Each structure stands twice: as C-alpha cells, then as structure tokens.
Amino acid sequence: LSGIATDNLPDKQNQRFSKQFIKNMVDSAVGMTCFYEHKRDLDHSIGYCKEANILEDALHVNIQLEDPDNNELVKKIIAKNNNGVKIGLSVSGVVTKSSYEATIDKSEEGGIEQQDDDEPGVQILEEGRLDEISAVGLPANPRGWASVIFKSMEKSMEVNDMSQEETK
C-alpha cells in the first residue's frame, strides 16, 4: 500500500502539519504497525510501514501488507482497490505544540480580507508524536490516497527455483 499519509496543507478539519513535524514522522513511521480505520488492536492490523520519506512536503509511505490469505482485512482492501474503490491513508498521534494562522480570503474586487476574529483560522500542528498510520475509507487529508502495488510472486518464486537448481 503506497501513498501520502499526510502533508502540510490544510485538511478537512482545518488543521495542517508543519514541515518539521512531518520530517520528524519519517523515522518513527518506519517499522510501525499499520491498522485499519484507526482501530489499534492486532485484529485490525494490516501490515507495517516498510518505507517513509518526504516528497513535496508530504509524508509518503510504503506499507508492507500482511498476507491476504491470513488476514481478511487485507484481502478486503485488495479486493476494494481492484474494484476501483479508493483507499485512504490517515495518521494519528499526540500534538504537543500547535498555533493558529489567520485565514485570508480574496474579495471579489481583488483585494484581500482578513477572516472574522471569531474563527481562529488554520491550526498548525507544530510538534508531537506519530502513533499510527491507518488505511481508511475517507481521510481527513483530501490528498491522502494510496494504491495497492503488487509485486509478482510468481516471478520471485521462479528466480528462487532457478537459483536453487543452479546451486544443486
């Protein structure tokens, strides 16, 4: 499962991660157990984060899915993907420092207007801890979509069989 887990643009909850927070997520993401719909128990695990890196200010992850023959959730995720259903990615954790930035709207006359003082604007999640990454049906981040990427098991098995023959 490969895609954007989060980025630094505002999400549907009017929050965004700072670039530094996203950078800090990279190391903690690698090796992390990944779940389905933020249900953090082993019955809802789907695999682990094999790779994480930053591409264009976004946390991009590659999740090694569990064997679909042994995990019904993974089998369902793959089937949904194969039927054109979009699979989302979402992160959760603990925020230890945040701030707000005012939202600026452009008026119809081309000028700039400050948003009402009653609404705080976008919340910037500056520091914290990444606890988990989940496959979800509807991510808060409108760019948080993933794809199931298949590697040819048959090819891999053929290469193994050939190298074993050569060893004999």
Side-chain angles (χ1 to χ4, degrees), residues 23-117:
K23 285 180 187 174
N24 293 341
M25 288 183 196
V26 172
D27 290 334
S28 60
V30 175
M32 179 176 282
T33 300
C34 298
F35 297 95
Y36 178 74
E37 293 290 350
H38 295 294
K39 295 177 182 173
R40 301 178 189 185
D41 58 64
L42 291 178
D43 289 337
H44 292 93
S45 69
I46 59 167
Y48 71 94
C49 182
K50 188 173 183 177
E51 294 178 85
N53 51 55
I54 296 175
L55 298 172
E56 298 177 7
D57 296 327
L59 176 65
H60 188 275
V61 296
N62 290 320
I63 297 170
Q64 177 66 50
L65 293 173
E66 294 176 27
D67 184 343
D69 292 334
N70 298 323
N71 186 319
E72 285 298 315
L73 287 174
V74 171
K75 187 183 284 187
K76 286 179 184 180
I77 289 169
I78 292 170
K80 287 181 183 300
N81 179 81
N82 291 346
N83 286 315
V85 175
K86 292 177 88 175
I87 309 298
L89 290 175
S90 180
V91 298
S92 70
V94 176
V95 176
T96 57
K97 181 180 177 187
S98 69
S99 61
Y100 287 90
E101 66 185 7
T103 302
I104 298 173
D105 294 325
K106 292 182 181 178
S107 71
E108 290 180 23
E109 292 82 37
I112 294 177
E113 297 176 4
Q114 194 70 23
Q115 182 175 325
D116 266 348
D117 289 337

